[in-house]
Each structure stands twice: as structure tokens, then as C-alpha cells.
Amino acid sequence: MSDQPFAIVIPARFASTRYPGKPLVPLNGKSLIQRSWEAAMAVPGCATVIIATDDERIAQAARAFGATVAMTPEACANGTERCAAALSAIADDIDIIVNLQGDAPLTPPWFITAIVARLVADAAAAMATPVVRATPAVHGRLLADQAAGRVGGTTAAVSAGGRALYFSKAVIPHVPEKQRGDPGLPVFLHIGAYAYRRAGLAAYVAAPVSALELLEGLEQLRFLDADLPVAVAEVDPRGRDMWELNNPQDIAPIEAALTALGIA
């Protein structure tokens, strides 16, 4: 773990197209945004946690459980832009800002410390993000989803030096059928958490929206399209379920995972 201080920003908006009001959905008696905030507060070495939102309902709920809130423009197109909009609420001596997405309360704390350490280790990188090596079973499910026309997750191609080459909702890289089942294949499932340098966030919002970003629906592709280096940390989930809350059907498995982890 790095000794360099960092802040965690949790971007949250009410007007989600797929699931309006999602941050205020209850999970075992606490809202999703409170669960996400508590997950952030449990990360060792974090100097401050800020909820960045454009909605007063979320802001009021967050202040009620003791969170610090930064009001950000409704026009923010994604969580990275919202983190950049919250920079003024973070002390100037904190150069690393982590984006912990508000729909992933099960993100393990060691994922966050790993990407902070990875960013510190790569002085030229604008951003760092975690990946998990796909097991043969997970790779098989990703391929089955793709064959059925579903998106099963985001995959990443990673250079030998630990830099991101590309992210895609397609399963990359292509693996010949005879090689499938090899547990050492470089098939990486991307986990949507990010550690940015201040300068990296500023460069991101100054860059034009990327055609690749729009086609894939992946905000991190703007970094690559603007030639802003992205460092990758391979992390071990240690058996932790990485379920995100994207639809009402996700509530029950997340509640079950919280209970299994002993998270009240």
C-alpha cells in the first residue's frame, strides 16, 4: 500500500436511464449510496470521502448519514467528469483521486489500495484501474453471453508492461477454440474503479469525447484515445462476489453477499 494520500469520490446521479433513483434504493435497510460510502470509508489510507451528485435528494440523504457532499453539474456525462467537477472540494495537497462507483458496494478495499499503489509506481500514467484474470469458467460465460448477443462484462487487453491497450464490451483478445480452457490466458475482466492524478482528470475533461468511448459506452476509452497512459493493476478477488446494482433483480444477490460478508 502506498503512503501517498488519496481521496475517494463516489459519483451519484438520480436520473439513471436504466434505473432511476438507484442511489437511494435500500439494501438490507441502508441505501445503496450509504453502502457505497461505508465501503469507501473502510479503505485504509483514504484521506477523505466525497459524494459527488447533481441531485438534492441524494445530497440530503448523504448528509443525513454524515457524508461530505460536492454538488456537481447535471451536464457531467459520466463518473470521471463528475470526479473532475468535484476537485475543488478536495484539498490541494491530495493529488490522487479515486472514483469508487456508487453501484458497486461490494468492491474490496484492497482493489482501491492496489490501484493507488499502481498509479504511484507509474509516474507517467494519468489513471490506474483494476482487472481480474478471467478463469476458464468466467471466460466461457463471457463467450456464451457474446454469442447470445448479451454483454457479460468489460474485458481489457493489457501490455507486457502493465498498461491498458484497449477495453471492450466484446470479449478480447480473441482466443482460438483449441486454446480455450487455459487458466493462464491473458483474458482480463475490467473492474470499474479508477485512480486518477489531478492532471490526468484535467486532461480527460479537456479532451474531445472519443468515438470509441461512444461506441463501446466505456468512459475510460477517452484516456486511450487522447494518448493518456492507463496503468493496470491485476487484483485477486479472494472469492469476493463483484456484483453491481444495475437492475432491480440485482438487489437480492447483493443483499445476500452483504449478509455473507457480515456487513450490517
Side-chain angles (χ1 to χ4, degrees), residues 8-11 36 39-40 43 83 98-102 104 107 112 192-194:
I8 295 178
V9 177
I10 303 170
S36 300
V43 176
C83 286
V98 172
N99 175 348
L100 179 62
Q101 300 199 49
T107 304
I112 304 305
Y194 306 96

Side-chain angles (χ1 to χ4, degrees), residues 100-152:
L100 179 62
Q101 300 199 49
D103 56 8
L106 298 174
T107 304
W110 61 90
F111 280 27
I112 304 305
T113 53
I115 58 175
V116 170
R118 182 72 185 86
L119 188 62
V120 170
D122 189 339
M127 183 264 277
T129 193
V131 297
V132 173
R133 189 178 294 264
T135 63
V138 168
H139 187 210
R141 286 199 297 272
L142 291 169
L143 291 171
D145 281 336
Q146 182 170 269
R150 299 185 297 267
V151 175

Side-chain angles (χ1 to χ4, degrees), residues 149-189:
R150 299 185 297 267
V151 175
T154 297
T155 50
V158 182
S159 76
R163 291 271 185 86
L165 298 171
Y166 194 66
F167 298 92
S168 183
K169 289 180 178 175
V171 184
I172 58 173
H174 167 73
V175 176
E177 192 165 354
K178 64 182 180 181
Q179 291 181 253
R180 294 174 190 172
D182 179 353
L185 288 171
V187 179
F188 295 102
L189 191 63

Side-chain angles (χ1 to χ4, degrees), residues 35 49 62 66 79 92 99 114 120 123 126 131 167 197 220 238 240:
R35 292 287 181 191
V49 177
D92 291 342
N99 175 348
V120 170
V131 297
F167 298 92
R197 288 194 169 85
Q220 66 270 31
R238 305 178 195 173
R240 179 77 71 98

